[in-house]
Amino acid sequence: QVQLVESGGGLVQPGGSLRLSCTASGNIFRIYAMGWYRQAPGKQRELVATITSGGVTNYVDSMKGRFTISRDNAQNTAYLQMNSLKPEDTAVYYCNANVGTNRGTFSGYWGQGTQVTVSS
């Protein structure tokens, strides 16, 4: 079994910053990619950013220049640095991982989510 645990969410004023962390543990041979998604109330879960083990990143256009994804492969951890936060960024942020285990490769691992609320 693979577990993902997110942390770093909270309440922040517009224009503020937060740094989210996601750490993977369990039966892991290699994490090929990790990503951040978010889901606002009443809306579908959407992609925020992804990063491969080689450091290749992908961002949703609306978040480029404000959000930065990074990872520490040795620690099986991904980060999401969020700057210039806006009220519309309010959502539950989830971590996802594409993980190679001794039973194959799986992309359906999700963390429990961490709440980000941007409000004055």
Side-chain angles (χ1 to χ4, degrees):
Q1 186 177 1
V2 175
Q3 297 87 36
L4 302 176
V5 178
E6 303 102 332
S7 63
L11 175 65
V12 64
Q13 293 184 337
S17 299
L18 287 173
R19 191 189 193 205
L20 308 183
S21 299
C22 173
T23 299
S25 62
N27 181 23
I28 299 172
F29 173 73
R30 183 178 180 181
I31 300 179
Y32 297 105
M34 301 184 75
W36 287 96
Y37 296 72
R38 69 184 185 185
Q39 187 168 17
K43 296 184 178 180
Q44 298 295 315
R45 188 172 299 184
E46 65 176 349
L47 173 69
V48 175
T50 60
I51 186 167
T52 70
S53 61
V56 178
T57 59
N58 180 58
Y59 298 92
V60 174
D61 287 343
S62 62
M63 300 168 192
K64 290 181 178 179
R66 297 193 301 122
F67 292 6
T68 302
I69 189 170
S70 61
R71 67 181 294 171
D72 183 339
N73 290 338
Q75 299 295 321
N76 289 334
T77 299
Y79 305 94
L80 184 68
Q81 178 67 46
M82 304 185 294
N83 300 322
S84 301
L85 284 164
K86 306 174 181 179
E88 51 263 43
D89 295 319
T90 296
V92 177
Y93 284 71
Y94 296 91
C95 180
N96 173 261
N98 186 344
V99 178
T101 73
N102 61 356
R103 291 177 171 82
T105 301
F106 305 93
S107 61
Y109 294 108
W110 295 92
Q112 82 289 349
T114 184
Q115 177 71 49
V116 172
T117 302
V118 185
S119 178
S120 60

